[in-house]
Amino acid sequence: MRIALLQHTASAGPAALDRWLDGHQVSWHRLYAGAPLPGLDEFDLLMLLDGALSVHDERHHLWMSAEKRLIHRALLARKRVFGSGLGALLLAEALGARIQHADRDVQVGWWQLEKCASSRQSPLGRMLPPRLLALHWQRETCSLPHGAIALYGSPVAELQGFVWQERAIGLLCQLECDSASLDERLQQDVAEPGRSSEQDIAAIRDGAPHAASANATLFRVLDYLSGAHAHMT
């Protein structure tokens, strides 16, 4: 499958996604470094990574408006789209959701996801585990996009994951986190957890062993998104 991967900040890379991407035809677009966006005919799956930005940062990052237009066009062209963290918020906004600041400046730590009752309406939702411990690194929250199905919620935010038409999936938490990427992000964004999180840096780092089960669930999600859906119904 041809995958276009959009990275928004240096501190929020693909992490464990690298393992899943192996074997696919991947074009990498580091938008923060001035890389151009892909053309609509260059990918089958558009993958939007997290990043230490707001969805409202168009004035500071001129490429963001063009990225939003690309997401709209990809959805209209029936492309498959996956977003994590900031990427999920950009996807939600493209689908008409309201984006708002979180109750605290940044919500960083490990919280348990609980599957939403509505997830039973989705073939993808029915195959996901009922609960899962996942890393959260959130500045904003969103409403459920019109026509989407809620997959997960957590104590940090009522909505943590959604699926739209079984071909667009947003996860506000970071299921792609692994030990190496967590250490790197804590070093680069070290001021944020101590300022606004209920969990200190040591507790966040101690949660790294939970990443393996989160990664496994993410890979199931992406296997579904990149494959034929009919056999899952």
Side-chain angles (χ1 to χ4, degrees), residues 23-150:
H24 292 280
Q25 182 181 334
V26 182
S27 62
W28 201 298
H29 306 266
R30 294 176 176 86
L31 304 184
Y32 64 91
L37 288 163
L40 195 62
D41 60 349
E42 296 175 14
F43 62 86
D44 307 301
L45 167 60
L46 182 64
M47 190 169 286
L48 314 169
L49 298 186
D50 192 19
L53 305 173
S54 165
V55 296
H56 306 299
D57 276 349
E58 291 101 331
R59 287 184 300 171
H60 305 292
H61 305 283
L62 300 181
W63 45 260
M64 187 174 282
S65 294
E67 179 187 12
K68 289 182 177 183
R69 290 193 295 272
L70 174 64
I71 297 169
H72 273 286
R73 292 170 58 218
L75 292 168
L76 288 173
R78 301 192 62 79
K79 302 284 185 176
R80 305 180 193 205
V81 183
F82 170 77
S84 174
L86 171 64
L89 292 168
L90 288 166
L91 172 59
E93 185 183 58
L95 292 169
R98 299 184 311 276
I99 312 299
Q100 58 192 14
H101 289 292
D103 292 337
R104 291 162 288 165
D105 287 342
V106 185
Q107 299 167 339
V108 181
W110 295 87
W111 282 276
Q112 183 163 274
L113 303 180
E114 294 283 349
K115 195 154 75 166
C116 302
S118 60
S119 66
R120 293 192 295 269
Q121 302 170 23
S122 161
L124 171 63
R126 292 196 293 271
M127 65 182 274
L128 293 174
R131 58 187 54 86
L132 183 68
L133 199 63
L135 180 69
H136 297 53
W137 205 298
Q138 294 182 240
R139 296 158 182 81
E140 295 169 320
T141 60
C142 69
S143 61
L144 182 66
H146 179 70
I149 296 170

